[in-house]
Amino acid sequence: MMKLPEDFLFGGATAAYQAEGATQEDGKGKVPWDDYLKKEGRFSPDPACDFYHQYPKDLELSEKFGINAIRVSIAWSRIFPEGYGRIEPRGVEFYHKLFKECRKHGVEPFVTLHHFDSPSTISEQGDWLNEKNIQRFVEYAKFCFEEYQDEVKYWITINEPTSMSSQQYVTGTFPPGEKNNFNKCFQAEHNMNLAHARVVNMFKKNGYKGEIGVVHALQTVYPNSESEEDKHAAALQDTLDIRCYLDGTLNGNYSKETMSLMNEILDSNHQAHIKIKDEEIKELTKAADQMDFLGVNYYFSKFIKAYHGTSEIKHNGTGKKGSSVSRLQGIGEQVNRTDIPMTDWDWPIYPKGMYDMLMRIKKEYPKNSKIYITENGLGYKDHFIDADTPVDDQPRIDYLHDHLVSVAKAIQAGVNIKGYFVWSLQDMFSWTNGYSKRYGLFYVDFKTQKRYPKKSAYWYQKLSETKELK
C-alpha cells in the first residue's frame, strides 16, 4: 500500500471553452473555435456542460465528493471581447461569482489565463506570432491579477503551449488549421515562453499575492527500438513536444542541443530558423528563477521510429481505434504498439511514462521546486443506464489508480508534488472530439444538464479521505 501526503490536493480540472457554453452570452467576444467548429459542422461548443450557469452544482458536488481544488480558466474574450481595450463588466462579474462559490464550498481555484482560446481579434492579428499580442496578453493578465487578487491564490499563465502551437501549425487540428509549418510552430512556442515570462516577471515585480506557474503537456517520448536512427527520431520528436518548453520556462534558456535539434527539423523541412533575441533570453531566465510551480498534464507516451518521407497526419477524432497516423517529415513516425494497451483514441496507456517524466524534470531542471499534476484522465465511451445506477467506468478507475501510483513513487523518490487534478471534473465538450469522448467524474446529460456521479467519483472520494493507494 502507498499513501499520498496529508496536505495533498485532490482536484478536478475544467477549461472555459470546454465547460462554460454560453459562447454568445453576456457580451462574450468571439474566439477562432466559434467559426472553425461551425464550418466543420460536426458539433457545437454550446451548451457544453453549461458551467456558466451550472457551476454552483458542480462545486457543490466537488465538496460532497472530497474534491478540494479545481482548475478553471478565464475566457480572455469574456473580459476583453476584442482582446484589449473595451472591458465587458458582465464577464468580469461572472468570475467574481465563480470564485466566491469556490470559497463557499472549500474548493481552491487554480486559474488559467489562456486555455486554447485567444480572442478572434488577437488570432486575426497573428495570435502568438505577433509580438504586439504578447504585450496585450500581459495587460490582460495584469487586469486579472488586480481584479481578483483577493480571490485567487494560484495562477497559471498558459495551458499546454506545445499542444496549441503544434496543432495550429503542424497537424492542422486546431484553428487556423495549418499543416507542416514548423517555423510558425517553433516561433509560436518561443513567443509563448516569452509571454509567460513577462507575465511572471510582472507578477513578481508588482508583488501580487499568491503563486504563479505554467502548465505543459508532457507526453514522454521513447525510441521504438534501440537503433540509433530510432533514438535520434525520438530526440527530434521530444524537441517538438517537450524540450523547447521545459528549456524556456524551467531553465530560462535553450540548450545548444535543443537548438541544434530544432534547426535540424527546420532544415529538413526547408524552413527558416526562428528569431530569438538576446534580451528575450534574459527575460526567460529571470522568470525561471522566480516561477513558483510547474503544472504537468500527462495522458500518454509516444513511441517513435525513424521516418524519411513527407508528413502524413490522420487525426482520430471519433474513437475508432487504430485510425490515427502520425508521420512527420524530418522527425519520425509514431508507432501504435500492440504490446501496450491503447484507448479508443489511440493513446497508449503507459503510467511509467508519468514517473519517467517527473524524474526527468527533477534531474534536468533543478530550478523547478514544486509540481502539480494539473491534468490526467481517461477519455472513455461511458454507458449511462439510469439515475440510480452509477456509470460503471472501471477502466477509468484503473487508469487513475495506476497513474497515481506513479505519482506516489515519484514523491518517494524526492519529487515535490503537491496535488493532482483529474481531467475532468465533469463531462465536457472535447475540442476536436466533440461529446462522445467523456472524461468526467460526473456524467453529464447534455440535453438536461443533470449530473450523475460515476463509480470513479466514489472511488476518488474515498481516496481523498484515506490518501491510500492499494
Side-chain angles (χ1 to χ4, degrees):
M1 180 183 296
M2 307 189 77
K3 193 159 187 177
L4 294 163
E6 286 301 319
D7 63 349
F8 197 77
L9 289 177
F10 290 87
T14 72
Y17 197 76
Q18 294 178 261
E20 288 178 2
T23 62
Q24 301 178 50
E25 193 166 329
D26 288 342
K28 183 182 186 295
K30 289 181 66 175
V31 300
W33 286 99
D34 295 335
D35 290 338
Y36 181 84
L37 292 169
K38 186 176 181 180
K39 183 179 178 180
E40 283 201 336
R42 289 194 295 156
F43 31 69
S44 167
D46 287 312
C49 59
D50 195 31
F51 189 67
Y52 194 72
H53 302 103
Q54 304 292 334
Y55 67 88
K57 179 62 176 177
D58 290 321
L59 290 165
E60 180 184 339
L61 283 168
S62 295
E63 181 180 21
K64 179 179 178 181
F65 281 82
I67 297 165
N68 56 10
I70 185 173
R71 270 196 73 197
V72 297
S73 68
I74 292 175
W76 185 350
S77 65
R78 280 208 190 277
I79 293 178
F80 292 93
E82 288 80 40
Y84 53 92
R86 179 175 65 89
I87 295 169
E88 174 49 69
R90 290 171 292 183
V92 175
E93 182 59 23
F94 167 70
Y95 292 106
H96 279 301
K97 292 188 293 185
L98 172 59
F99 301 146
K100 182 179 179 180
E101 196 74 12
C102 286
R103 296 297 172 205
K104 175 183 174 181
H105 291 284
V107 179
E108 188 70 52
F110 280 61
V111 181
T112 305
L113 292 167
H114 190 284
H115 196 123
F116 300 164
D117 57 351
S118 296
S120 286
T121 305
I122 295 292
S123 179
E124 289 162 4
Q125 295 175 8
D127 210 359
W128 297 105
L129 297 173
N130 183 347
E131 292 184 14
K132 289 182 180 179
N133 288 336
I134 296 176
Q135 183 56 33
R136 288 164 178 160
F137 179 68
V138 175
E139 291 166 358
Y140 152 64
K142 183 179 180 182
F143 175 89
C144 292
F145 296 153
E146 296 188 352
E147 183 72 24
Y148 304 113
Q149 60 183 314
D150 295 327
E151 301 161 71
V152 177
K153 296 179 182 178
Y154 299 95
W155 292 97
I156 294 162
T157 54
I158 303 173
N159 177 78
E160 294 192 4
T162 181
S163 298
M164 185 160 37
S165 58
S166 63
Q167 293 193 82
Q168 284 179 313
Y169 302 117
V170 176
T171 67
T173 45
F174 276 21
E178 295 187 30
K179 293 185 177 182
N180 306 320
N181 196 325
F182 294 93
N183 173 272
K184 283 187 178 181
C185 177
F186 281 123
Q187 190 68 61
E189 289 185 8
H190 168 66
N191 288 0
M192 279 188 274
N193 283 346
L194 184 59
H196 155 79
R198 288 182 180 171
V199 170
V200 169
N201 293 337
M202 178 266 292
F203 184 91
K204 295 298 182 179
K205 180 181 179 181
N206 291 355
Y208 297 118
K209 294 179 290 186
E211 299 183 4
I212 190 164
V214 68
V215 165
H216 291 318
L218 301 176
Q219 325 302 352
T220 311
V221 179
Y222 300 95
N224 194 54
S225 75
E226 290 301 310
S227 75
E228 292 304 315
E229 265 204 322
D230 284 4
K231 289 179 180 179
H232 187 64
L236 292 164
Q237 184 74 51
D238 183 76
T239 301
L240 179 68
D241 290 348
I242 296 171
R243 291 180 65 127
C244 288
Y245 283 106
L246 293 186
D247 278 11
T249 57
L250 301 190
N251 272 354
N253 60 71
Y254 306 107
S255 71
K256 289 182 179 180
E257 183 180 6
T258 296
M259 292 303 302
S260 176
L261 289 164
M262 181 197 303
N263 290 335
E264 181 182 339
I265 294 170
L266 292 167
D267 291 342
S268 297
N269 285 274
H270 310 292
Q271 295 174 17
H273 294 185
I274 69 170
K275 298 175 182 178
I276 302 174
K277 302 173 185 176
D278 290 342
E279 57 265 33
E280 293 172 349
I281 295 298
K282 292 179 182 178
E283 292 182 273
L284 296 185
T285 302
K286 185 177 181 181
D289 290 337
Q290 299 188 94
M291 190 174 74
D292 296 300
F293 65 88
L294 169 67
V296 173
N297 292 357
Y298 177 87
Y299 291 93
F300 61 95
S301 290
K302 292 182 178 180
F303 298 87
I304 303 297
K305 70 176 183 180
Y307 175 71
H308 302 291
T310 57
S311 293
E312 182 182 1
I313 297 290
K314 292 182 181 178
H315 172 63
N316 178 355
T318 63
K320 182 181 178 182
K321 187 179 286 190
S323 63
S324 63
V325 174
S326 178
R327 303 183 182 106
L328 295 178
Q329 181 172 323
I331 298 180
E333 177 179 353
Q334 190 169 332
V335 178
N336 293 336
R337 302 246 312 232
T338 58
D339 60 328
I340 294 173
M342 307 283 283
T343 73
D344 287 337
W345 284 266
D346 296 328
W347 289 8
I349 300 174
Y350 198 66
K352 183 178 182 297
M354 174 176 273
Y355 176 83
D356 288 346
M357 179 55 66
L358 293 169
M359 297 307 298
R360 173 185 177 180
I361 293 167
K362 181 178 186 295
K363 178 182 178 181
E364 297 182 13
Y365 299 95
K367 285 185 179 182
N368 181 69
S369 61
K370 187 188 300 183
I371 290 176
Y372 292 93
I373 307 302
T374 40
E375 289 182 29
N376 177 239
L378 177 67
Y380 192 62
K381 297 172 183 175
D382 292 317
H383 179 57
F384 182 80
I385 298 175
D386 56 52
D388 298 321
T389 308
V391 169
D392 186 353
D393 60 343
Q394 187 62 43
R396 179 173 291 114
I397 294 172
D398 295 340
Y399 178 99
L400 298 177
H401 171 273
D402 293 350
H403 284 81
L404 275 161
V405 167
S406 288
V407 171
K409 288 180 178 178
I411 292 172
Q412 288 183 345
V415 183
N416 185 23
I417 306 170
K418 303 301 290 184
Y420 173 93
F421 293 76
V422 173
W423 185 272
S424 53
L425 178 65
Q426 72 285 71
D427 290 337
M428 298 185 293
F429 167 70
S430 188
W431 301 114
T432 57
N433 305 290
Y435 292 94
S436 63
K437 191 178 188 183
R438 293 176 179 264
Y439 281 93
L441 296 172
F442 304 106
Y443 185 93
V444 175
D445 182 328
F446 293 112
K447 291 182 179 179
T448 66
Q449 291 299 332
K450 290 185 178 180
R451 273 73 164 143
Y452 304 94
K454 303 176 189 178
K455 279 183 64 176
S456 58
Y458 292 100
W459 174 85
Y460 200 55
Q461 179 185 36
K462 184 176 181 181
L463 178 64
S464 71
E465 293 171 354
T466 66
K467 316 290 191 299
E468 295 177 351
L469 289 160
K470 297 180 180 178

